[in-house]
Amino acid sequence: MPLYCLYIHSIDQSSGICQLYNGTICQHFLKNTHVFIPPNATINELEERLKAAYGVIKESKDMNANCRKYALPSLCFSSLPICRTPERTNLLYFANLAMFTNLYSGNDTREKRSVSKDSKSKHFFLKKKSIFYDDVFSKDVSSKYPPTKESENLKRICREECELLETELCQKEYAIAKRHPVIGIVGVEECQRLPQHKDCSTLGITIEVDETENCYWEDGSSYRGIKNRSITGKPCLRWSWLMKEISDFPELIGQNYCRNPGSAEKSPWCFVDDRSLDRNIESCHIPKCSHNLWLRIILISGLIVAAFIIILLFVFFKKKGSQGMKNIQNINTPNAGDNIYGNSQLNSNQDMGRIPLNSSMEPVGVTSKNMEKNSLLRIPHFTLQDVEFFEELGEGAFGKVYKGQLRQLNKKTVNVAIKALKENASIKTQQDFRREIDLISDLKHQNIVCILGVILNKEPYCMLFEYMANGDLHEFLIANSPMEKKCLLQLEFLQIAMQISEGMEYLSGHHYVHRDLAARNCLVNEGLTVKISDFGLSRDIYSSDYYRVQSKSLLPVRWMPSESILYGKFTTESDIWSFGVVLWEIYSYGMQPYSGYSNPEVINLIRSRQLLSCPENCPSAVYSLMIECWHEQAVKRPTFTDISHRLRTWYDGHIKIDHINP
């Protein structure tokens, strides 16, 4: 066979291409992703094999329940690994064919003869191939690898999880699968051959650990602390070394901490190394929680009494010292749990009566000295005559929000958003309105909608904000979506995400928690300038985004992690989860998260770690960032500083590529 034919045959036999997955068996895991199709196979053939293998798994009565839930994702990711760079992989494959065709097409017969007649032909071929790679793919190192399953830059199963399945959780099932005539054809990953890569396809295996748990209840079967030494001080051995069948006890997977699986003992225990015995069991020195309960109650009661006394002393001396103090108030940073704009959707608005206010939003009778302490003095004050109301934008808990025009002191006019306090507002609503002004008065950032001034001399009292011409981000994305026969560039996606991240980085750095970060609460101005806001507008189009949980406040559950839904815990880390959902909204052109599911169903999906799938045409690196933002453990989510750095790096990289390849 001629050398040309040999090399073409070699390419055809050893390489594959990336195709968009459009099947049904692995839709939950691979929807809208490009998967690697090996040589001599088609995506339809692989789909049929997966159907047959999944049918065997569903009918099997021998598979452990704790192992069964990982069987399908394991099969999907094994047989159809996700391509990290599908465009480059396919370009490389077809460009190779084109190159070889040009080299040996017969246009240069003299060169063809010289290549085929001596022993240097292979060297000549590889040299041409190297020059071609360096010329076309010099900007992407990963694409220099030939497109094969073993060497291509694929997103494969996380090696650590694969090893946990094979050696601990599904030891018996894994061994059977490799030899099974149907499942074996599909292919089960050889864990030792998987690369050590952080960007991998996770099966969702979690090791149950609670570092804060330092005592146990009852017999300790629910203990998940990190004590790993026995009562004699000996280090605990890994459970899988001595308990071969741990499928029924997922709390033992991948660790050597003290546990009491199946309530086998009266307290947590572990295996220790004792050469005098083959299997030596020792209990662990962990206190029982109930033994310390009364001691804790006494200590807490003592601390409460001491704190009460300290507060009384502090108030006494403060009143005594205030008689000779100058009227200066330090500006305090709000608590981390405060919403930057009051989060009007979460506030109760029961009318509890109203007190008259003077021009500084203080109750009548407040002295001028106390007025000087008010942070309102730092904000420009205007009158109703300085403002012209145009149109109503929506209605929040404080009242209606309008588009208007402000005439400034220099006689120039500027478009503004006017947030008005409704008439006959309750005392609590008035206090929240004033507190919101106080909270946002110090916020100055190019990606935060900043307050321009207030109107407090006459009702309706108003806050004036800069007006964003292109409305909220959700509407902007829909208006520029393929449904409207438009589209955004990858560079524009990154530009939007980067601005929101930098705004949130500023807020988190100043100890603010947003609580309702979503595309609807980001505004877009001309030049694709994006700023974070929260006007709390109760428009019908967003009513389905909020859900009343257990007769409490309306919550945006589709943007919330489980710790916020279940325990009402709002932190910077919960804002990071919400940012991951905003990223998903951006790349989905404003699609509602978990569209098609009711709010109660969404809560169950989030609790069971059923995450949003990768949007169409979303880069794998961006989707991986979303997954990191949705980490079950809040402390393992990336910081806004890290997110901003990554987005900035990708954005700058796109600019360089566009500059080099116009």
Side-chain angles (χ1 to χ4, degrees):
M1 184 181 291
L3 181 63
Y4 159 69
C5 296
L6 284 173
Y7 281 126
I8 294 296
H9 179 75
S10 175
I11 293 171
D12 184 61
Q13 295 300 316
S14 63
S15 62
I17 60 174
C18 297
Q19 293 185 17
L20 184 67
Y21 180 76
N22 58 1
T24 57
I25 293 297
C26 301
Q27 184 179 24
H28 183 73
F29 313 104
L30 301 176
K31 184 180 179 181
N32 297 327
T33 63
H34 284 79
V35 295
F36 187 80
I37 308 301
N40 301 324
T42 66
I43 196 167
N44 292 331
E45 290 174 353
L46 294 176
E47 181 78 3
E48 291 302 318
R49 295 176 190 174
L50 282 167
K51 285 182 181 179
Y54 185 52
V56 173
I57 292 171
K58 285 199 301 183
E59 297 299 325
S60 175
K61 297 180 180 179
D62 299 326
M63 183 173 290
N64 185 279
N66 292 319
C67 178
R68 185 184 296 275
K69 57 185 177 181
Y70 303 113
L72 183 57
S74 177
L75 285 176
C76 291
F77 292 137
S78 296
S79 58
L80 295 170
I82 298 173
C83 297
R84 289 198 185 92
T85 55
E87 296 88 357
R88 294 295 178 93
T89 297
N90 291 345
L91 179 61
L92 177 63
Y93 176 79
F94 291 111
N96 266 306
L97 292 179
M99 181 188 72
F100 294 134
T101 302
N102 290 335
L103 286 176
Y104 296 98
S105 61
N107 294 333
D108 190 347
T109 56
R110 184 184 58 177
E111 185 179 88
K112 181 177 178 181
R113 291 194 201 99
S114 65
V115 169
S116 60
K117 71 179 182 178
D118 59 37
S119 61
K120 296 182 180 180
S121 59
K122 185 175 182 181
H123 174 74
F124 170 82
F125 169 80
L126 294 175
K127 182 177 179 182
K128 289 281 187 180
K129 182 178 178 182
S130 176
I131 293 172
F132 179 79
Y133 284 169
D134 291 340
D135 182 45
V136 178
F137 300 104
S138 59
K139 308 301 182 300
D140 188 352
V141 175
S142 64
S143 62
K144 290 184 179 180
Y145 297 102
T148 64
K149 182 175 179 179
E150 296 302 326
S151 58
E152 169 59 354
N153 190 14
L154 301 179
K155 186 176 180 181
R156 300 172 70 184
I157 295 176
C158 298
R159 180 168 176 171
E160 183 180 357
E161 292 190 358
C162 180
E163 290 175 346
L164 287 177
L165 282 182
E166 184 175 15
T167 62
E168 298 188 20
L169 186 60
C170 304
Q171 187 178 28
K172 178 183 67 177
E173 291 83 352
Y174 216 91
I176 294 174
K178 286 185 176 181
R179 300 191 303 268
H180 196 279
V182 176
I183 302 176
I185 294 176
V186 174
V188 180
E189 286 283 17
E190 293 291 342
C191 300
Q192 298 300 319
R193 298 179 64 179
L194 289 172
Q196 293 282 8
H197 202 295
K198 292 182 180 179
D199 181 22
C200 52
S201 297
T202 178
L203 303 175
I205 300 175
T206 56
I207 298 176
E208 299 181 60
V209 175
D210 184 355
E211 296 182 3
T212 63
E213 197 170 349
N214 53 18
C215 62
Y216 70 92
W217 294 95
E218 297 178 348
D219 61 2
S221 58
S222 62
Y223 172 75
R224 297 296 181 267
I226 58 173
K227 182 76 174 180
N228 60 358
R229 286 189 174 272
S230 71
I231 196 169
T232 61
K234 297 175 183 176
C236 295
L237 301 178
R238 189 156 172 162
W239 289 94
S240 60
W241 294 353
L242 295 169
M243 282 185 66
K244 296 301 181 183
E245 299 295 332
I246 62 173
S247 301
D248 294 326
F249 307 108
E251 70 270 19
L252 305 180
I253 296 171
Q255 35 107 341
N256 66 330
Y257 301 126
C258 298
R259 297 287 185 265
N260 188 15
S263 300
E265 302 291 335
K266 296 181 179 179
S267 64
W269 57 278
C270 68
F271 291 107
V272 296
D273 186 14
D274 192 330
R275 296 182 179 180
S276 61
L277 295 172
D278 291 334
R279 291 169 49 128
N280 198 6
I281 295 174
E282 287 191 7
S283 60
C284 299
H285 185 58
I286 304 172
K288 200 167 186 177
C289 297
S290 57
H291 293 166
N292 299 327
L293 187 59
W294 284 107
L295 179 60
R296 292 186 181 183
I297 292 174
I298 294 172
L299 288 175
I300 293 172
S301 301
L303 289 173
I304 293 173
V305 172
F308 182 71
I309 295 172
I310 291 171
I311 292 171
L312 288 178
L313 292 173
F314 175 76
V315 172
F316 173 77
F317 285 112
K318 185 177 180 182
K319 287 183 177 180
K320 185 176 180 180
S322 63
Q323 297 175 359
M325 286 180 61
K326 294 182 179 180
N327 295 300
I328 299 175
Q329 177 174 351
N330 294 325
I331 306 304
N332 295 321
T333 301
N335 292 331
D338 292 333
N339 183 343
I340 62 171
Y341 294 132
N343 205 351
S344 52
Q345 279 105 341
L346 305 180
N347 293 331
S348 173
N349 297 303
Q350 297 295 326
D351 212 354
M352 299 174 63
R354 182 174 176 271
I355 59 174
L357 301 177
N358 64 16
S359 60
S360 295
M361 291 290 288
E362 287 284 345
V364 172
V366 176
T367 65
S368 60
K369 290 183 178 181
N370 287 332
M371 288 171 57
E372 291 176 5
K373 296 181 180 181
N374 201 318
S375 61
L376 295 172
L377 298 179
R378 300 193 304 274
I379 305 174
H381 286 243
F382 299 94
T383 66
L384 289 173
Q385 287 70 36
D386 297 323
V387 176
E388 184 178 358
F389 291 75
F390 288 165
E391 61 180 293
E392 182 180 327
L393 300 177
E395 185 170 358
F398 291 127
K400 293 183 178 180
V401 179
Y402 302 89
K403 177 186 177 182
Q405 195 172 69
L406 170 67
R407 185 171 58 256
Q408 297 176 314
L409 297 177
N410 56 8
K411 304 303 181 181
K412 291 184 178 181
T413 59
V414 60
N415 290 333
V416 292
I418 307 168
K419 196 171 186 177
L421 178 64
K422 59 189 174 184
E423 295 184 5
N424 302 318
S426 67
I427 296 174
K428 183 180 184 304
T429 303
Q430 294 176 46
Q431 291 172 342
D432 288 342
F433 189 81
R434 176 187 163 189
R435 179 172 175 270
E436 178 170 322
I437 297 174
D438 184 58
L439 283 174
I440 65 177
S441 60
D442 288 330
L443 296 177
K444 303 293 181 186
H445 190 270
Q446 66 271 19
N447 298 121
I448 302 293
V449 175
C450 298
I451 189 168
L452 300 178
V454 293
I455 298 174
L456 301 173
N457 67 317
K458 186 179 179 181
E459 292 189 87
Y461 303 118
C462 302
M463 286 183 273
L464 308 177
F465 295 90
E466 52 185 322
Y467 179 75
M468 306 291 282
N470 290 327
D472 70 56
L473 177 59
H474 176 263
E475 293 178 342
F476 176 82
L477 291 168
I478 293 176
N480 289 274
S481 68
M483 294 178 60
E484 300 295 328
K485 298 182 179 179
K486 298 180 181 179
C487 67
L488 295 172
L489 302 175
Q490 288 293 332
L491 192 65
E492 292 173 318
F493 284 134
L494 289 174
Q495 185 178 352
I496 294 169
M498 184 173 61
Q499 292 180 83
I500 299 172
S501 174
E502 290 178 352
M504 290 305 301
E505 181 183 3
Y506 171 83
L507 293 178
S508 62
H510 286 72
H511 310 290
Y512 288 94
V513 174
H514 193 291
R515 297 192 184 196
D516 194 10
L517 181 61
R520 62 181 172 275
N521 285 329
C522 298
L523 302 180
V524 185
N525 210 348
E526 296 172 351
L528 202 60
T529 299
V530 182
K531 300 191 178 188
I532 300 167
S533 178
D534 182 3
F535 286 110
L537 304 183
S538 58
R539 290 176 286 178
D540 292 339
I541 59 173
Y542 295 141
S543 60
S544 63
D545 288 346
Y546 295 90
Y547 177 61
R548 195 176 301 279
V549 180
Q550 297 178 351
S551 301
K552 296 181 182 178
S553 302
L554 289 169
L555 297 176
V557 293
R558 297 170 190 268
W559 285 261
M560 291 166 57
S562 56
E563 72 264 18
S564 300
I565 297 173
L566 300 178
Y567 311 115
K569 185 178 181 181
F570 292 91
T571 61
T572 295
E573 288 72 26
S574 64
D575 276 351
I576 291 168
W577 178 291
S578 301
F579 177 80
V581 182
V582 173
L583 260 184
W584 187 89
E585 287 185 277
I586 293 170
Y587 282 87
S588 301
Y589 285 102
M591 183 183 295
Q592 185 188 48
Y594 298 102
S595 178
Y597 292 95
S598 66
N599 285 307
E601 289 173 335
V602 170
I603 293 175
N604 291 329
L605 289 173
I606 294 173
R607 291 182 64 185
S608 60
R609 296 289 298 163
Q610 301 294 311
L611 303 179
L612 294 163
S613 58
C614 183
E616 186 176 357
N617 297 324
C618 173
S620 58
V622 177
Y623 184 62
S624 296
L625 178 57
M626 297 180 202
I627 297 297
E628 290 183 56
C629 292
W630 301 329
H631 201 288
E632 190 171 13
Q633 298 181 36
V635 295
K636 293 187 178 180
R637 296 167 197 162
T639 64
F640 278 117
T641 301
D642 180 44
I643 293 171
S644 297
H645 174 73
R646 277 198 247 178
L647 292 173
R648 171 65 66 180
T649 301
W650 296 338
Y651 181 79
D652 292 342
H654 269 274
I655 291 178
K656 292 176 182 178
I657 290 173
D658 291 342
H659 178 71
I660 295 170
N661 301 305

